[in-house]
Amino acid sequence: LSLQVSNGPGLGDERTTSLLLLGFLQSCPNSCFQRELEALGHEFSGHLFHDDELQTDGNRSSYFSVAAETDSERQEEAVREVARQLAQIGDRLEGSIRPGMVASLASRFSVRSLSEEDRRQCLADALEQLMRTCPADVDHEKTQLLLTMLLAKKIADHSPALLRDVFRTTVTFINQNLLASVRNLVRSEMD
């Protein structure tokens, strides 16, 4: 697993990755974390998925044109469609993740003293193990992205109370290591 460091995600990237993961998790039926996911979705819908910014005087910024809003809506729908597609593929790969791996990750994520960096490393280590079992002819970046989101789902299914922590760590991990893949998938969907 080669971890790539980008120039850093921008605000739009954070929003896109969060929306992708949220959409992915929402597309996974019969999960044990639905109540927690609904709360997380409501929390984000108020501030993460809107482009208008609150100014210091309390008014909303209105510098976005109608064309920019339409573009943003189109991109948001593309992100949601990519999330649905990945969730469908994830249904087929879900069995490749051993319950012992999930229990171990959930246990590590439960340790409050574990740093965010250590959590990302736990995720990276698990992802590296899973990638070793993938056929050589698969698209590695897309598979890494899918397996990363699938690990987040499995950890949250195992321990629903960890959803927020797992979500935050996964978004950061994706932005640091797989952002190009996210951008390519969304761009392809929009074309």
Side-chain angles (χ1 to χ4, degrees):
L1 176 67
S2 67
L3 300 180
Q4 301 171 348
V5 177
S6 68
N7 291 334
L11 184 59
D13 293 326
E14 179 87 15
R15 176 181 169 265
T16 298
T17 304
S18 295
L19 183 59
L20 180 68
L21 182 57
L22 187 65
F24 178 85
L25 294 173
Q26 289 171 334
S27 296
C28 297
N30 305 322
S31 53
C32 298
F33 55 85
Q34 287 304 315
R35 189 178 71 226
E36 290 83 357
L37 184 60
E38 189 174 309
L40 187 65
H42 286 301
E43 178 183 310
F44 285 145
S45 67
H47 67 284
L48 185 59
F49 301 135
H50 296 291
D51 285 326
D52 53 345
E53 297 177 11
L54 193 61
Q55 297 180 348
T56 55
D57 62 2
N59 293 317
R60 294 278 175 193
S61 172
S62 58
Y63 61 87
F64 286 100
S65 68
V66 173
E69 287 177 20
T70 302
D71 232 19
S72 179
E73 289 170 10
R74 203 170 130 244
Q75 181 180 0
E76 188 171 310
E77 186 49 44
V79 171
R80 289 184 192 281
E81 183 55 33
V82 168
R84 282 189 288 273
Q85 292 169 7
L86 290 173
Q88 288 174 348
I89 298 168
D91 287 344
R92 295 189 297 264
L93 289 178
E94 196 166 348
S96 67
I97 300 176
R98 296 180 332 274
M101 176 185 278
V102 173
S104 175
L105 280 169
S107 174
R108 295 291 309 269
F109 270 75
S110 296
V111 176
R112 290 288 162 209
S113 62
L114 197 65
S115 72
E116 183 67 19
E117 185 175 331
D118 289 339
R119 289 179 186 190
R120 286 192 306 271
Q121 189 58 51
C122 289
L123 199 56
D125 293 344
L127 182 59
E128 187 173 345
Q129 282 182 357
L130 289 171
M131 288 302 293
R132 284 189 212 131
T133 65
C134 290
D137 63 340
V138 299
D139 176 345
H140 278 0
E141 283 191 6
K142 185 176 180 181
T143 303
Q144 287 175 338
L145 176 63
L146 177 59
L147 288 172
T148 300
M149 293 191 302
L150 208 49
L151 281 169
K153 176 203 180 278
K154 298 290 275 182
I155 295 167
D157 245 351
H158 183 276
S159 302
L162 293 175
L163 177 64
R164 287 179 192 281
D165 291 339
V166 169
F167 187 91
R168 183 183 59 251
T169 299
T170 303
V171 167
T172 303
F173 180 84
I174 290 170
N175 281 339
Q176 288 179 346
N177 303 293
L178 301 166
L179 190 55
S181 183
V182 171
R183 288 174 178 161
N184 291 337
L185 287 168
V186 173
R187 197 174 303 123
S188 293
E189 184 62 35
M190 290 181 72
D191 290 341

